[in-house]
Amino acid sequence: MISKISPLAGKPAPSSILINVEKLVTAYYEEIPDPSIKAQRVRFGTSGHRGSAFDKTFNERHILAISQTICLYRKQHKIDGPLFLGMDTHALSTPAFASALEVFAANEVEVMISNNNEYTPTPVISHAILRYNRDRITGLADGVVITPSHDPPHDGGFKYNPPNGGPADLKITDWIEKKANAFLENKLQGVKKIPFEKALHAPSTHTHDYLNDYVNDLGHVIDMDVIRDSNINIGVDPLGGAGVNYWTPIAARYGLNLTIVNKTIDPTFRFMTVDWDGQIRMDPSSIYAMERLIALKDRFDIAFACDTDYDRHGIVARSSGLLPPNHYLSVMIYYLFQNRLKWQKTGSVGKTIVSSQMIDRVTKKLGRQLYEVPVGFKWFVEGLLDGVIVFCGEESAGASFSRRDGSVWTTDKDGIISALLSAEMTARLGRDPGEIYQSLEQELGQCFFKRIDAKATLPQKKILKKISKEDIHVTQLADHKIQSIQTEAPGNHAPIGGVKVSTENGWFAARPSGTEDLYRIYAESFQDEVHLKKIVSEAQGIISDVFVQNKT
């Protein structure tokens, strides 16, 4: 069954659901994962290894094993430049940072950590890797970001970014999984490690001014002058994430009229409003998690937030409130390709296969090529690097785009530039992104989109990931003939890890979550909300039948 909305959704987090940070950190060090249990092994989803210390899915042994494996990978591939290491504000990020540094220092890896123990957003790590590697052939840098993204406070996460600056591809993550799990099975035999204090002061450990290097470069990707000169009133809710201390320097450096509505950093995230399922989740695309900023929309010309590692954005327009991610992606494309005159005329638009077809319509209107890939930002990395893709985004509110001169900015999602772009377009056009999207709908028609999470067991998720066209036995969807059933993305022909079923008037896609016991239904109608509801209902029935056929 599709999950119901919790009665706590959108309300201040009650003390009863807050994590006990001390117990969580103790579990990180004391609980020992059993590699014979699949759920307790190292598993890289769409963006790194994630889990909770309470569930024995994110513990010290996982991080020691993964870190040693990364050292082996670097040696095997002759990656001998610095490793840029960053972390977010989740409770498990600090002990995981310590574990990783203990291994990297023991292996004499040159590690760049932030000045003053500053938290470091995901896009800042990507930016640092690319800046260091520019014009280099040897001595290349790579990076690690310790974050579970917007996931609940009890979770931890660990991502590896190779020298291309983006999320590691499947070939790399599969190799890391295999080697790291071998270390777990052998009780960490072969893992090198030194005490944290010694690692912190090792000759191979260096500090790096991530914040100023990134902030001082922002004018090359965003027109900060037009924002400053307009003096529009900007509101920011950092959501207690890794970029919380970036906004004041950004405002000071570029002279912006910017108000930070909440500067609190608290690993319980007690200041959040509860998400749809009764959990605390720092998701800037959720109307429930963003309730407080949405309530302030009339105070600002434009307001925005980013998730905990700052690779996702949430845009709150005075005209319309929180924009659905697909709406804002469409607006970004429409604006950027008309205001980045130095971009290549052949530069294409990247999108994930589960994103709205409004993006397709806007891209066609602009005369640009569309590059459609499976879920996961790793599929955009090479295109961003070589300039074939100048903008890319996914329906979960992640995007990146080229510098103003057309060269690469980041090859990972960047919530900061996506947020600041909403201020640039509001300043230049005198209309906020909500108003711009309304004009697109008037010209190109309406698309009604919905994403829903549904419970799924591990066996069911495995079935859905390997679903084939032959598993779909119906010929109609919501009273319309099915025109296509896709299990591969048209842009690169890679498996989508699920299925997409399309008619002339709508579509749905279903794929398992990489980190939670659920699967996601994405659906869109080109008619109305009633038709969308019917697509969602029938999609759930189709997937349930697939599970039954496979006797789950």
Side-chain angles (χ1 to χ4, degrees):
M1 294 294 291
I2 292 175
S3 303
K4 294 181 179 179
I5 303 299
S6 167
L8 294 176
K11 297 178 181 178
S15 59
S16 60
I17 69 170
L18 300 181
I19 61 166
N20 184 314
V21 174
E22 290 184 358
K23 287 186 177 181
L24 183 66
V25 173
T26 298
Y28 172 82
Y29 286 108
E30 298 298 329
E31 296 289 346
I32 299 176
D34 183 349
S36 68
I37 299 174
K38 187 174 182 180
Q40 295 181 24
R41 294 170 67 82
V42 171
R43 293 188 301 164
F44 274 73
T46 54
S47 191
H49 173 77
R50 296 185 191 177
S52 174
F54 289 142
D55 300 329
K56 300 183 183 180
T57 51
F58 190 92
N59 301 85
E60 181 187 31
R61 292 195 174 204
H62 291 110
I63 305 310
L64 296 176
I66 296 170
S67 299
Q68 183 65 50
T69 301
I70 288 172
C71 294
L72 296 179
Y73 180 82
R74 297 181 99 244
K75 188 173 183 179
Q76 185 178 103
H77 293 270
K78 296 181 172 59
I79 303 169
D80 52 7
L83 183 146
F84 291 94
L85 179 62
M87 68 173 182
D88 76 0
T89 55
H90 276 78
L92 288 175
S93 294
T94 298
F97 175 90
S99 299
L101 189 60
E102 288 169 354
V103 174
F104 293 146
N107 284 271
E108 300 181 342
V109 173
E110 299 288 331
V111 178
M112 310 299 283
I113 62 175
S114 63
N115 287 341
N116 305 315
N117 297 315
E118 182 62 71
Y119 299 106
T120 311
T122 286
V124 174
I125 294 293
S126 179
H127 177 266
I129 294 169
L130 293 181
R131 286 196 72 182
Y132 185 88
N133 288 342
R134 189 175 298 153
D135 300 324
R136 292 178 186 269
I137 299 174
T138 60
L140 298 179
D142 55 1
V144 164
V145 193
I146 300 171
T147 173
S149 188
H150 62 290
D151 282 3
H154 54 68
D155 280 0
F158 199 93
K159 302 193 297 184
Y160 175 62
N161 287 32
N164 61 25
D169 63 29
L170 287 174
K171 184 178 180 181
I172 296 173
T173 56
D174 286 350
W175 191 89
I176 292 174
E177 273 190 18
K178 183 178 178 180
K179 295 291 184 181
N181 283 318
F183 279 124
L184 289 182
E185 290 163 358
N186 292 317
K187 298 181 180 180
L188 300 184
Q189 185 176 348
V191 172
K192 297 179 181 179
K193 176 176 176 280
I194 62 175
F196 178 65
E197 282 300 315
K198 187 176 180 181
L200 197 60
H201 298 98
S204 57
T205 301
H206 315 280
T207 58
H208 181 75
D209 192 356
Y210 287 106
L211 189 152
N212 284 304
D213 277 5
Y214 179 88
V215 169
N216 291 337
D217 206 17
L218 277 172
H220 291 107
V221 67
I222 298 292
D223 189 341
M224 306 300 276
D225 292 342
V226 76
I227 303 175
R228 179 198 64 225
D229 294 345
S230 70
N231 200 39
I232 60 169
N233 192 8
I234 303 167
V236 181
D237 189 341
L239 299 184
V244 64
N245 293 326
Y246 276 61
W247 294 112
T248 295
I250 289 172
R253 169 71 173 78
Y254 296 102
L256 307 186
N257 179 14
L258 185 149
T259 301
I260 304 170
V261 302
N262 182 11
K263 296 182 180 180
T264 305
I265 297 176
D266 183 337
T268 68
F269 294 90
R270 65 179 70 239
F271 50 81
M272 291 294 298
T273 49
V274 179
D275 204 7
W276 66 273
D277 58 353
Q279 292 201 69
I280 296 173
R281 189 179 284 108
M282 291 62 68
D283 182 356
S285 65
S286 165
I287 58 172
Y288 305 107
M290 289 280 282
E291 177 64 32
R292 287 198 169 106
L293 189 58
I294 295 170
L296 300 175
K297 72 179 182 66
D298 293 334
R299 281 180 47 187
F300 304 105
D301 296 304
I302 192 69
F304 42 75
C306 295
D307 69 337
T308 324
D309 71 319
Y310 271 56
D311 67 350
R312 303 186 190 207
H313 58 267
I315 310 301
V316 178
R318 177 181 284 181
S319 65
S320 57
L322 181 66
L323 269 74
N326 282 310
H327 291 197
Y328 186 55
L329 293 178
S330 301
V331 169
M332 292 169 81
I333 295 164
Y334 179 74
Y335 174 82
L336 282 167
F337 281 96
Q338 296 180 90
N339 290 278
R340 294 296 187 267
L341 302 182
K342 293 183 179 180
W343 281 10
Q344 294 183 41
K345 299 299 181 184
T346 55
S348 62
V349 173
K351 65 166 275 199
T352 52
I353 195 168
V354 298
S355 300
S356 171
Q357 285 197 10
M358 178 60 84
I359 293 171
D360 304 47
R361 297 179 184 187
V362 173
T363 302
K364 184 178 180 180
K365 170 182 169 60
L366 295 168
R368 295 285 179 159
Q369 289 281 70
L370 190 70
Y371 183 70
E372 201 168 7
V373 300
V375 172
F377 214 76
K378 57 181 171 282
W379 302 109
F380 298 127
V381 172
E382 294 304 323
L384 285 168
L385 263 182
D386 60 24
V388 171
I389 297 173
V390 290
F391 174 91
C392 55
E394 51 188 13
E395 61 76 38
S396 56
S400 190
F401 47 90
S402 297
R403 294 169 180 262
R404 294 163 70 185
D405 66 3
S407 61
V408 63
W409 170 253
T410 61
T411 47
D412 214 328
K413 295 174 284 191
D414 192 332
I416 297 175
I417 63 167
S418 299
L420 286 169
L421 186 68
S422 70
E424 179 189 325
M425 65 178 69
T426 302
R428 173 168 279 119
L429 302 179
R431 296 186 296 158
D432 69 36
E435 294 170 313
I436 298 169
Y437 187 78
Q438 289 168 15
S439 67
L440 288 176
E441 279 194 334
Q442 291 171 4
E443 180 182 356
L444 302 175
Q446 282 187 289
C447 295
F448 301 87
F449 184 95
K450 196 166 191 176
R451 190 189 91 176
I452 294 173
D453 292 342
K455 296 294 183 182
T457 64
L458 283 174
Q460 287 174 334
K461 288 169 61 177
K462 186 175 181 181
I463 289 165
L464 184 53
K465 187 175 183 179
K466 296 182 178 180
I467 195 171
S468 68
K469 296 179 182 180
E470 289 71 27
D471 289 321
I472 307 298
H473 300 300
V474 297
T475 58
Q476 287 195 325
L477 175 67
D479 302 321
H480 293 278
K481 183 180 178 181
I482 292 174
Q483 294 183 329
S484 68
I485 300 174
Q486 296 170 284
T487 56
E488 294 182 350
N492 59 0
H493 304 292
I496 63 176
V499 66
K500 183 175 183 179
V501 178
S502 303
T503 72
E504 183 180 0
N505 295 288
W507 59 270
F508 85 84
R511 57 178 296 275
S513 166
T515 57
E516 299 178 84
D517 291 332
L518 52 84
Y519 74 94
R520 294 191 168 96
I521 295 175
Y522 310 78
E524 188 167 39
S525 167
F526 313 139
Q527 292 184 185
D528 53 36
E529 290 283 0
V530 173
H531 185 235
L532 175 63
K533 187 175 181 180
K534 191 166 187 178
I535 291 175
V536 171
S537 176
E538 292 188 14
Q540 185 186 5
I542 290 169
I543 300 304
S544 294
D545 287 345
V546 171
F547 291 156
V548 170
Q549 292 166 26
N550 288 274
K551 298 179 181 180
T552 64

